[in-house]
DNA sequence: TCTAACCTGATC
DNA sequence: GATCAGGTTAGA
């Protein structure tokens, strides 16, 4: 469920509740969901929470003493802070006791989510973090162009690749492509410079608006305090197949791409089937990129 | 580069 | 009873 805007919203909620607190004990109720690395024995009095960060869809809770708790919510993971008297929800797999008597709880019906407590350098050195692409807000058109250059795959597949850019999932890939007016199946390496600029602006704009809206709640996602997100109301295409496009009124379509449901407007996001590569054999270099009609 | 697998629950 | 779901990854 959670993509960058949802995880960012959770990180902000956690900061408000967890910064400066001490985590006294971390208990797993189901094997495998939580792993604990070397060198992270609990100090007397617990770990003080020093900062809470996010890389892509991964939460990073930095703890006193050089340890770090990473949390990946995957599809249905959810964090909340509860009074100890609050009933333990089904599928509560990890509980951490806080020094004010409350509990940080991790609930995840599908059990895809993962928590790892380890030395900071070990956590930051995991293959996942080492190979993770840049944050979307750190990318400009030139940097994105470089990352799309050698990719012949459909644009949506490339946006979903966390090594290309971190944090974009199925919802926001569709929303960003609509905002940019680009077809999900457009080969990534065939974008014109102008289209890449528009794509970067769309990426920044959609993600910023989604963070401001507290993320999208389709079914499971909740903020720390249990409230739903609000951005689903603003979705232009995701979950709106068969409904009229908000821009042109055409019936929105849904198809399958990269094994994921893909939503788009066939009129606002036309597919350029054959994209002429810029000719490179004629001597005078003139054309940089001209729009090719279908 | 694509598919299957990891899981449960909601919906058809 | 079958199908689908917002993520990631191992293996074909």
């Amino acid at each position: 469920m959670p993509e960058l805007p949802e995880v960012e919203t959770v990180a902000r909620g956690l900061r408000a509740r967890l910064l400066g607190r001490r985590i006294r004990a971390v208990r797993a109720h189901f094997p495998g969901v939580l792993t604990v690395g070397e060198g992270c024995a609990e100090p007397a009095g617990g770990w003080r929470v020093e900062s809470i960060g996010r890389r892509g869809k991964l939460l990073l809770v930095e703890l006193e003493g050089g340890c770090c708790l990473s949390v990946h919510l995957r599809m249905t993971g959810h964090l909340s802070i509860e009074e100890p008297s609050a009933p333990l929800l089904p599928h509560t797999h990890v509980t951490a006791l806080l020094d004010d008597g409350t509990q940080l709880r991790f609930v995840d019906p599908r059990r895809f989510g993962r928590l790892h407590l380890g030395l900071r350098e070990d956590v930051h050195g995991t293959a996942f973090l080492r190979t993770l692409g840049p944050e979307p807000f750190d990318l400009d058109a030139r940097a994105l162009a470089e990352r799309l250059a050698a990719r012949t795959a459909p644009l949506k597949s490339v946006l979903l690749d966390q090594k290309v850019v971190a944090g974009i999932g199925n919802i926001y890939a569709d929303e960003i492509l609509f905002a940019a007016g680009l077809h999900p199946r457009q080969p990534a390496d065939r974008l014109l410079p102008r289209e890449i600029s528009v794509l970067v602006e769309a990426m920044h704009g959609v993600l910023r608006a989604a963070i401001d809206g507290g993320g999208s709640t389709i079914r499971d996602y909740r903020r720390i305090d249990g409230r739903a997100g609000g951005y689903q109301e603003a979705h232009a295409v995701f979950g709106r197949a068969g409904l009229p496009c908000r821009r042109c009124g055409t019936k929105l379509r849904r198809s399958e791409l990269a094994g994921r449901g893909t939503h788009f407007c066939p009129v606002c996001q036309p597919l350029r089937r054959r994209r002429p590569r810029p000719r490179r054999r004629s001597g005078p270099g003139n054309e940089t990129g001209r729009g090719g009609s279908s």
Side-chain angles (χ1 to χ4, degrees):
Chain A
M1 69 172 150
E3 307 179 26
L4 187 152
E6 289 75 34
V7 179
E8 178 61 28
T9 302
V10 170
R12 292 177 181 190
L14 282 178
R15 277 180 204 124
R17 297 293 305 270
L18 224 50
L19 276 184
R21 292 254 84 87
R22 282 177 182 278
I23 295 178
R24 283 253 156 80
V26 182
R27 292 212 193 92
H29 311 294
F30 192 91
V33 175
L34 169 73
T35 52
V36 180
E38 297 285 310
C40 275
E42 184 191 340
W47 296 274
R48 200 175 66 86
V49 177
E50 290 184 337
S51 65
I52 294 166
R54 176 193 60 72
R55 270 289 279 133
K57 302 169 191 169
L58 189 71
L59 279 166
L60 296 163
V61 182
E62 306 287 353
L63 304 170
E64 176 182 41
C67 288
C68 177
L69 176 68
S70 69
V71 183
H72 202 306
L73 303 171
R74 294 282 183 99
M75 294 284 264
T76 53
H78 176 240
L79 288 168
S80 65
I81 294 175
E82 307 283 353
E83 295 297 327
S85 57
L88 211 62
L89 290 176
H91 310 295
T92 300
H93 304 311
V94 179
T95 303
L97 307 180
L98 305 180
D99 60 355
D100 63 353
T102 59
Q103 300 180 346
L104 175 67
R105 294 180 181 174
F106 178 71
V107 178
D108 186 8
R110 289 176 78 173
R111 261 186 266 131
F112 289 169
R114 288 292 178 266
L115 286 76
H116 178 71
L117 175 62
L119 290 173
R120 189 166 303 168
E121 57 264 33
D122 292 342
V123 171
H124 288 256
T126 54
F128 180 79
L129 274 178
R130 275 204 328 269
T131 60
L132 191 60
E135 288 293 313
F137 297 113
D138 293 339
L139 273 181
D140 59 17
R142 195 182 56 77
L144 182 61
E146 279 173 17
R147 307 186 79 80
L148 298 184
R151 305 294 300 256
T152 59
L155 188 49
K156 173 166 177 180
S157 304
V158 176
L159 288 182
L160 288 175
D161 184 345
Q162 302 299 297
K163 295 176 176 66
V164 172
V165 52
I168 296 173
N170 204 36
I171 295 176
Y172 296 106
D174 284 2
E175 291 297 318
I176 288 167
L177 288 172
F178 174 80
L182 294 168
H183 195 285
R185 289 187 194 275
Q186 195 72 49
D189 63 344
R190 299 294 180 88
L191 293 192
L192 305 170
R194 171 174 48 79
E195 293 174 320
I196 293 180
S197 298
V198 170
L199 178 57
V200 167
E201 293 304 312
M203 185 166 75
H204 293 168
V206 166
L207 294 176
R208 175 59 58 202
I211 291 170
D212 290 346
S216 304
T217 296
I218 303 300
R219 93 186 327 160
D220 304 299
Y221 162 72
R222 299 279 140 165
R223 309 182 207 206
I224 288 296
D225 57 13
R227 284 185 301 149
Y231 191 69
Q232 64 282 359
E233 307 296 334
H235 287 180
V237 287
F238 190 88
R240 299 194 68 243
L243 296 172
C245 171
R246 292 190 163 140
R247 193 180 288 165
C248 75
T250 304
K251 200 189 245 193
L252 296 175
R253 291 236 279 266
R254 182 184 194 278
S255 67
E256 180 145 320
L257 201 171
R260 326 292 301 276
T262 295
H263 314 72
F264 63 101
C265 172
V267 171
C268 296
Q269 299 166 265
L271 178 62
R272 285 188 279 100
R273 272 287 171 204
R274 293 177 297 125
R275 182 64 297 252
R277 274 184 183 283
R279 286 276 165 73
R280 56 162 53 206
R281 41 185 258 87
S282 57
N286 46 355
E287 53 200 318
T288 330
R290 319 180 6 173
S293 46
S294 42

